[in-house]
Amino acid sequence: LPMAFRDVNARRHIGLQQLSSLALAGRTLLGPMKSCKFIVDESTNQSTLICSALRLIESLDLTSAAGQLLNETIQAQNKEFKTGMSTLLFLVGAWSNAVLECLQQNVPVSAIVSVMSEGLNSCCERVQCLQISIHDVNKELCSSSVRPNAFKSITCQIGRDCLLNPQIFLYFQKETSAPEQVIPMNSCSHQEEDCNFNKCLVSSLGGFGSIASLVKPAGDKSTSVISGSGVIASSCNKQKLTHSRYFSTLAKSHFSSQQDNFQGYLSGQPCECYGLGHLAMTLSHGNETSMKLLQSIVAYQQERAECSGSSQIKIAEIVTCCLLGLPESYSCVSPGFVTLVSPEQAAVIKHFEDKPLRILLMDGDLTEQYRHLGFNRTCNVRIVLERPSLQEGRAGDLWLNSMLDILINFEVNLVLVKGKVCENLMERCIANTILVIGSVTQDVLCAFGEVTSAQPVTYLTQLNTSCVGSGAHAELWKACDGRAMDLGELVPVRIKVRGIPLLTAVLTTAVASKMQLIEDQFWTLVYRLHHALNDEKVFLGGGAVELLCLSHIQMLADQPLQPANKSAVKDFHNLWLAAPVTEYKSVVLQALASGWKQYLSVVMCNTARAASELEACTSVDHHLKKAADCGSPSAYILKEFRRGDLLGGGFGPFADHREGLKVYDNVTAKTEAWRRALDLVLLVLQTDAEIITGPKRNQLLNSHVSSEFMFL
C-alpha cells in the first residue's frame, strides 16, 4: 500500500476508541431485560437508577469531541422517536471496534465508508420483507390464544365507560313497567374517585345480580345479552327502552355501534379497538406496569373516538404525574390533570372543593421581569435612582398589588401558568384563596382552553372578561382505595373539567431512585405504539430483523466484486490497486456484520437465553447455517418466528408465558438508529483520518480508490 495508507493505520484513531469506550458502559442496557445502573451525583451524593442510553449519556462526563457527537446523536434519536437509543449506542461501539479492526488490516478509509454505507442500505431494503401491517397484527392478536382474557379487559373497559360517559348506563338499565328512570349524569362521581372500574361495573349492573349474567353459557341459544336494538334483552324479558332524552337518531346509531363492539368482545369476534391494546402489549417488551397503563389510555381514547376506525394514540392528551412514597401498585390512569402542589395550595383547594372555578391560562412566566419572545428592551438607556433598594422595593410591591387586584376584580380562582411563578405573588394569591399552579405544559393549557373557553394571555394586564374560562373543578387526588394522599412536602391534586380529553398517568413508587426510570419506561412504550400506528407496520421482533441482516451481509461478502466502471480502472497509473478490491469488500462487510452478531449475542446473554457470548454466537451461527441451507433466509426466519423457536424463543418475556403472543419492533425508529450509529462512526473515522494525514491528502487518497467499491 502507499505510505499514506500506512500512516493512517499506524497512527491511533482516538475518536473511534473513545466511541467504543463510551458505548461499552451501555452494554447491559440492551434488550428487553435490562440491567439497570446507579448513577451517583458526586456533588450531592444522591443516586439515580437508569436503564436507558439517554440517561446514561446525560450522566457521563463528555469532554471529548467524539463524546459530544455521540451525545448529539442520541439526543436527536430521542427527540424524534423516544426509543432506539440503546440500540444506537451499542452499534456505535460495535461498529467502532469493527472499523478499528479494518484499519489494522490496512483497509483504506474510502473502502470502509463506501462499502459499509452501501451494505447498510442494502440491509434496510432486504428486511422490508419482515414488516407486517398493523391490521394483520390486530387480526392475528384478536384471533390468537390470548383471546380468553378478553372479557377481563372489556370488564375494565365498560367500567371506565360508566365513569367517563354515564350515558352508557342506559345499556345496562333494566326496563320495568314503571316510568323510565334516567340516571343523573353525576351518578358515578364517587366511583370515579375510587378509580376502581370493576367496582363501578358491579354497582351499575346491580339489577342483573352479577357480571356472569352478561355471558351466555356454552350452548345457550337464547337471545344475546346485548342486543342490536339498543337495550338489554334475555330469553324471558325483551322490553325495550324507547323514550329517553339521551336518545336521538344519531345517539341510537352511536349506541348500536358501541354495542356491536361490546358484543364482539364477548363473542370472540376480532375488533379493531381491542387489537390496539394487545399491540401495546407486544411492543412493551415485558414492561407490564407501563403496558397496563397504556392499555387503559388506549381504551379510553378509542371510546372517545366512538370506534370510528381511527387507530391513533393522541400523545398531546397524555401527561404524567410522579408520586414518590406510594407502592407501585397504586399507579393508575386518572381523567383530568393530576399534579403536585404545596400543602398551602392544597388548603386552598379544600376551601373551594366541589365548587366551579373561574380559570385563567398564562402562556409564559408570571413574574415581573418576564418578557415574551421577540420583545426588545430599549437600548443605550440608563436609569439612575437616588435610593435603588427603596425604589425597587416600592416598584415590586406596586406590581404585586396590581396583579393581585386584576385577579380579584375578574374573580379568578385558578391560574395555570406555563412557566415560573413569582413566589411573593404566589403567597399573596394563597392568602386571597386563589390557586396558582406553575410549570404546566402547553398541551395541558390547550386542553383546558378548549373545554373552558379560556383564552391564554401572556401578561395579566391583557386580561379581559372573554379570557376567563369557567367550569373547572379542583380536588385532592384520591388513590385506588379512595383515600386522599398527603405525601408531606407535596400534595397530589386533580383539576378536571367536564368533557376534557386529558388523561394523567399517575406513576408511583416508594423508591426515589426509580422514579425517573419508571417515567422513562412509560413514555418509551407510548411512543413505540405511536410510531407503530404512524408507520402502519411493525418489524418482527425477537432478533428476526438483525438475524436477516446478518445473513444478507454474509451473502454479499461471499459474492465476487465487479467494478462498476472498468474503464475508470484503466485510467489509474497504479493499476495494481484494483487487485485487492474483493478482499476489501469481504473484510468490510464482515466487519459490518459483526455489529449485528454482537447485538444478538449480547441480548441473548442479557435475557439469559445463553450462558455466555460464545454460546450465543454458536446459536446464531446455527440459525445462519439453517437459513442458508433453506435457500430463503427470510422464509426460514418467518417460520421460526411464528413457531417461537427463533434464537431460543425470542427476546420477549411473553414468548414463554403467553402462547401465541409475539414481540414486535418499530420500523422507522429501528432503521434510523442503525443509520445514525453508522453515520456517526464513519464521521469520526473520516475526521480522525483528516487529523492524521491532513484534509487534502486524505481527500486525494479517498478519491484514488472510491471508484473501486461500487458493488451493489
Side-chain angles (χ1 to χ4, degrees):
L1 289 176
M3 183 62 68
F5 286 148
R6 289 198 290 269
D7 289 344
V8 172
N9 297 333
R11 301 285 295 274
R12 298 176 61 191
H13 282 255
I14 303 298
L16 292 175
Q17 294 181 10
Q18 290 174 343
L19 287 181
S20 176
S21 177
L22 290 171
L24 186 63
R27 192 178 183 89
T28 61
L29 303 178
L30 195 63
M33 309 296 287
K34 306 177 188 296
S35 297
C36 300
K37 293 180 176 292
F38 271 107
I39 301 297
V40 181
D41 188 347
E42 294 182 353
S43 60
T44 61
N45 288 328
Q46 292 183 348
S47 60
T48 303
L49 196 64
I50 64 167
C51 71
S52 70
L54 176 67
R55 301 301 176 190
L56 175 65
I57 291 298
E58 289 177 347
S59 304
L60 295 179
D61 184 13
L62 304 175
T63 56
S64 63
Q68 292 294 330
L69 288 173
L70 177 60
N71 180 40
E72 291 177 6
T73 304
I74 290 181
Q75 292 288 350
Q77 177 78 10
N78 176 70
K79 182 178 181 180
E80 186 172 0
F81 298 106
K82 296 291 191 300
T83 183
M85 285 80 72
S86 297
T87 297
L88 192 158
L89 179 62
F90 181 85
L91 289 178
V92 164
W95 282 334
S96 295
N97 290 329
V99 168
L100 287 171
E101 292 180 2
C102 290
L103 292 173
Q104 291 296 325
Q105 301 179 50
N106 293 324
V107 179
V109 173
S110 58
I112 298 173
V113 173
S114 59
V115 174
M116 278 195 162
S117 299
E118 293 295 334
L120 181 60
N121 290 336
S122 179
C123 282
C124 291
E125 294 177 1
R126 183 69 181 88
V127 297
Q128 290 182 4
C129 63
L130 296 185
Q131 296 175 2
I132 180 171
S133 69
I134 296 298
H135 177 72
D136 293 338
V137 173
N138 287 347
K139 195 157 53 173
E140 177 183 354
L141 293 173
C142 289
S143 60
S144 65
S145 59
V146 297
R147 287 291 302 160
N149 292 328
F151 181 71
K152 181 179 180 181
S153 298
I154 189 55
T155 298
C156 297
Q157 168 69 15
I158 297 175
R160 185 177 295 103
D161 293 336
C162 294
L163 297 180
L164 303 175
N165 189 358
Q167 293 178 358
I168 299 177
F169 274 125
L170 294 172
Y171 291 148
F172 311 111
Q173 186 177 15
K174 188 174 182 181
E175 178 71 11
T176 63
S177 58
E180 175 196 0
Q181 296 179 355
V182 179
I183 298 178
M185 299 302 291
N186 61 352
S187 61
C188 271
S189 59
H190 296 292
Q191 287 88 345
E192 182 180 1
E193 294 175 355
D194 292 340
C195 298
N196 191 325
F197 302 128
N198 291 331
K199 183 186 299 184
C200 176
L201 179 61
V202 173
S203 64
S204 64
L205 300 179
F208 296 96
S210 66
I211 299 175
S213 63
L214 286 175
V215 185
K216 292 192 299 182
D220 187 359
K221 298 182 180 180
S222 61
T223 306
S224 173
V225 173
I226 302 179
S227 66
S229 60
V231 294
I232 301 296
S234 65
S235 59
C236 59
N237 186 3
K238 295 186 179 180
Q239 292 96 339
K240 296 183 179 180
L241 181 63
T242 57
H243 298 85
S244 172
R245 66 172 177 268
Y246 295 107
F247 274 35
S248 62
T249 303
L250 178 62
K252 285 182 179 180
S253 63
H254 167 55
F255 289 161
S256 179
S257 65
Q258 285 181 324
Q259 288 180 327
D260 291 340
N261 284 321
F262 290 159
Q263 187 169 354
Y265 292 140
L266 298 176
S267 61
Q269 298 296 326
C271 175
E272 184 82 15
C273 301
Y274 178 72
L276 198 58
H278 266 350
L279 178 62
M281 185 184 298
T282 64
L283 293 169
S284 66
H285 296 183
N287 188 352
E288 188 171 358
T289 300
S290 299
M291 175 194 68
K292 291 181 178 178
L293 295 178
L294 182 56
Q295 285 178 330
S296 299
I297 293 172
V298 166
Y300 174 64
Q301 290 191 346
Q302 289 295 112
E303 175 58 33
R304 284 185 61 86
E306 300 177 353
C307 293
S308 60
S310 174
S311 58
Q312 297 296 320
I313 181 172
K314 299 179 181 179
I315 296 182
E317 297 178 359
I318 305 172
V319 293
T320 56
C321 179
C322 300
L323 299 185
L324 180 62
L326 295 176
E328 294 182 24
S329 59
Y330 277 64
S331 296
C332 63
V333 177
S334 178
F337 176 51
V338 179
T339 187
L340 299 175
V341 299
S342 65
E344 293 78 13
Q345 292 172 295
V348 175
I349 292 178
K350 292 180 180 179
H351 179 76
F352 49 62
E353 195 168 3
D354 297 331
K355 298 179 181 178
L357 307 178
R358 288 173 58 82
I359 183 173
L360 171 64
L361 308 178
M362 297 288 298
D363 188 14
D365 294 347
L366 187 52
T367 59
E368 185 178 5
Q369 295 78 20
Y370 173 74
R371 299 295 182 270
H372 65 276
L373 187 64
F375 178 85
N376 295 320
R377 294 179 179 274
T378 306
C379 300
N380 301 323
V381 174
R382 292 184 61 190
I383 300 176
V384 180
L385 301 175
E386 293 183 0
R387 298 180 180 178
S389 59
L390 180 61
Q391 293 293 337
E392 289 176 2
R394 290 179 178 176
D397 290 340
L398 181 62
W399 180 83
L400 290 174
N401 294 332
S402 176
M403 297 302 102
L404 187 60
D405 289 342
I406 293 175
L407 295 176
I408 294 175
N409 291 336
F410 284 95
E411 299 180 349
V412 174
N413 309 114
L414 174 62
V415 184
L416 300 182
V417 185
K418 181 179 179 181
K420 301 177 181 178
V421 180
C422 175
E423 294 183 2
N424 292 333
L425 181 59
M426 176 79 76
E427 294 176 357
R428 296 201 179 189
C429 288
I430 292 175
N432 288 272
T433 322
I434 300 175
L435 179 63
V436 182
I437 299 177
S439 301
V440 179
T441 64
Q442 183 67 42
D443 291 336
V444 174
L445 293 180
C446 293
F448 277 98
E450 291 177 359
V451 294
T452 63
S453 300
Q455 300 178 11
V457 296
T458 306
Y459 307 100
L460 280 181
T461 53
Q462 300 172 333
L463 189 59
N464 55 55
T465 305
S466 62
C467 296
V468 182
S470 59
H473 290 81
E475 62 184 4
L476 299 182
W477 180 80
K478 297 178 176 61
C480 295
D481 57 3
R483 295 179 300 168
M485 294 291 107
D486 187 352
L487 303 180
E489 296 181 357
L490 296 175
V491 180
V493 299
R494 178 169 65 169
I495 303 172
K496 57 183 180 178
V497 183
R498 179 179 175 79
I500 192 170
L502 204 63
L503 293 174
T504 302
V506 183
L507 308 176
T508 63
T509 181
V511 182
S513 58
K514 288 186 64 177
M515 197 74 263
Q516 185 69 67
L517 170 65
I518 293 174
E519 186 177 19
D520 289 344
Q521 288 177 337
F522 171 78
W523 282 115
T524 296
L525 179 54
V526 169
Y527 276 93
R528 279 180 188 164
L529 180 59
H530 170 71
H531 293 307
L533 296 175
N534 283 345
D535 295 338
E536 297 183 352
K537 53 192 175 184
V538 289
F539 271 141
L540 302 185
V545 178
E546 290 78 11
L547 188 63
L548 183 58
C549 286
L550 185 54
S551 174
H552 180 63
I553 288 295
Q554 289 187 348
M555 181 190 67
L556 292 178
D558 294 337
Q559 293 178 352
L561 178 65
Q562 299 295 332
N565 189 357
K566 295 183 180 180
S567 61
V569 177
K570 299 179 180 179
D571 296 337
F572 288 121
H573 298 288
N574 299 327
L575 294 179
W576 59 270
L577 280 175
V581 165
T582 303
E583 180 183 355
Y584 289 155
K585 170 200 165 187
S586 179
V587 170
V588 176
L589 287 180
Q590 290 293 349
L592 182 66
S594 67
W596 278 301
K597 192 169 186 178
Q598 290 181 41
Y599 175 92
L600 293 172
S601 301
V602 171
V603 175
M604 290 181 68
C605 291
N606 289 350
T607 54
R609 299 292 180 183
S612 63
E613 286 196 39
L614 178 61
E615 181 181 334
C617 289
T618 303
S619 177
V620 172
D621 291 336
H622 173 72
H623 281 283
L624 288 175
K625 185 178 183 304
K626 294 183 69 174
D629 295 341
C630 178
S632 175
S634 58
Y636 170 80
I637 291 173
L638 181 59
K639 181 186 70 173
E640 293 297 307
F641 176 82
R642 288 175 175 172
R643 290 175 53 190
D645 294 335
L646 187 64
L647 297 175
F651 301 149
F654 302 124
D656 292 337
H657 303 292
R658 304 192 183 188
E659 182 183 356
L661 187 60
K662 301 297 188 293
V663 178
Y664 295 95
D665 294 325
N666 291 123
V667 173
T668 307
K670 180 179 281 288
T671 54
E672 282 302 307
W674 295 349
R675 294 185 187 278
R676 282 190 165 105
L678 186 60
D679 288 345
L680 175 60
V681 171
L682 297 182
L683 173 63
V684 174
L685 167 66
Q686 295 177 96
T687 303
D688 284 352
E690 289 185 1
I691 294 174
I692 295 171
T693 64
K696 293 183 179 179
R697 194 175 185 184
N698 186 59
Q699 182 178 3
L700 177 62
L701 294 172
N702 288 346
S703 63
H704 195 58
V705 191
S706 59
S707 63
E708 305 299 323
F709 300 96
M710 303 298 295
F711 63 93
L712 295 176

